[in-house]
Amino acid sequence: YLMCLQSKEYLLKLNPESNALGKQLAEKAIALDPEYAFAYRELSAAHMMDVWFRTSKSPKDSIAKAIELVQKAIVLDDTFAEAHGWLGFLYSMTKRYDKGITQAEKAVALNPNSAESHYRLGKTLSLAGRWEESIPEFKKAMRLNPIPPNMYYWSLGMSYWGMGQYEEAIAWGEKAVRQEPNSLLARVWMAVFYVSSGREEEARAEAAEVLRINPKFSVKKYEKRASFKKKADNERF
């Protein structure tokens, strides 16, 4: 249990070095207890983040492994709401949007007081282009977890960006960056928020931070992983 908590803490930093540490701890937890659902959920997340950070030798294999691991977590504990929510998010990332939303809704039904489950429902809705519907889910997640991970902040900013409310998006993105300056995805989205609002100089500064955190970052390669349902959202991003 303690290893899984430590693993989760590393994974939530959202940078390549922390992700590697989080993966190692999840693997150690599974070695200690091969029937522990929580550990499989964390290891699944680490494999998916390898894809985003371009630390995976085969993104296709990493995504398949992430889905396999979280499905194993659900087999071990079908009441594990956060595993259902994560599976829903993975479905959305692989362009199965309706299936993703259904799975994330199941997570919220299993545990209405789970901040993470509301967050995952917000993510599946936003990836499907249902920006306005995602905002209450993110806000509910923050009410349930008033000291949330930085991804809650920039994800809410992302929904405001989707609605064209760029200053609101920037305000939430700034909270994310203040909390975790080395979060790759927070920096990526801050660059998007700034450039969308015409603040190009600040966008360039954020782009420089992205390259500081991950010198291998490539917009072209990241574009292949962009998973918005609507083509217009992908192009704007």
Side-chain angles (χ1 to χ4, degrees):
Y1 176 66
L2 288 173
M3 279 184 179
C4 286
L5 287 182
Q6 289 172 321
S7 171
K8 192 177 197 71
E9 189 68 19
Y10 278 123
L11 298 181
L12 289 173
K13 291 181 183 294
L14 297 179
N15 66 66
E17 292 77 16
S18 293
N19 195 60
L21 291 168
K23 184 191 275 189
Q24 287 170 14
L25 283 163
E27 288 169 341
K28 284 182 181 179
I30 289 169
L32 279 174
D33 184 355
E35 302 295 304
Y36 192 33
F38 188 4
Y40 289 95
R41 156 66 181 81
E42 296 313 302
L43 188 56
S44 168
H47 278 281
M48 188 64 216
M49 283 191 254
D50 278 339
V51 177
W52 294 327
F53 299 143
R54 291 190 59 218
T55 49
S56 168
K57 291 177 182 174
S58 169
K60 186 179 177 183
D61 289 348
S62 291
I63 292 169
K65 187 69 176 173
I67 291 172
E68 177 194 324
L69 286 163
V70 75
Q71 286 174 333
K72 167 87 171 172
I74 290 168
V75 167
L76 290 168
D77 182 2
D78 190 47
T79 67
F80 188 4
E82 290 78 8
H84 284 282
W86 176 248
L87 180 57
F89 176 66
L90 291 178
Y91 283 147
S92 294
M93 287 298 298
T94 49
K95 305 187 189 307
R96 290 172 279 180
Y97 302 99
D98 293 341
K99 196 172 181 180
I101 290 167
T102 299
Q103 195 73 35
E105 287 173 338
K106 182 174 182 179
V108 169
L110 279 168
N111 187 355
N113 290 319
S114 165
E116 186 178 331
S117 295
H118 284 282
Y119 169 77
R120 293 296 167 198
L121 179 54
K123 290 298 285 188
T124 61
L125 289 166
S126 63
L127 289 170
R130 293 163 62 176
W131 301 109
E132 193 168 357
E133 291 171 76
S134 71
I135 289 172
E137 295 301 327
F138 291 134
K139 290 190 171 177
K140 178 125 192 213
M142 288 185 216
R143 283 199 300 276
L144 290 164
N145 181 0
I147 310 174
N150 78 88
M151 64 187 185
Y152 285 32
Y153 292 132
W154 60 257
S155 293
L156 178 54
M158 196 175 132
S159 291
Y160 281 113
W161 169 83
M163 294 175 66
Q165 297 179 29
Y166 301 132
E167 292 306 313
E168 191 76 22
I170 288 167
W172 287 103
E174 284 173 343
K175 287 187 181 211
V177 169
R178 274 199 302 274
Q179 181 172 307
E180 186 53 64
N182 291 321
S183 168
L184 178 73
L185 296 176
R187 295 291 188 178
V188 167
W189 276 101
M190 279 304 288
V192 171
F193 299 157
Y194 278 133
V195 83
S196 297
S197 65
R199 292 162 66 173
E200 190 171 319
E201 190 176 334
E202 287 152 299
R204 287 183 182 279
E206 290 299 329
E209 289 295 317
V210 169
L211 292 173
R212 174 185 66 79
I213 296 164
N214 185 2
K216 292 181 178 178
F217 185 87
S218 154
V219 172
K220 277 281 180 208
K221 289 183 178 175
Y222 201 83
E223 189 180 4
K224 292 175 185 175
R225 299 266 75 86
S227 299
F228 297 112
K229 183 177 184 179
K230 295 179 181 175
K231 189 179 178 184
D233 289 334
N234 267 328
E235 287 172 354
R236 191 156 61 102
F237 168 66

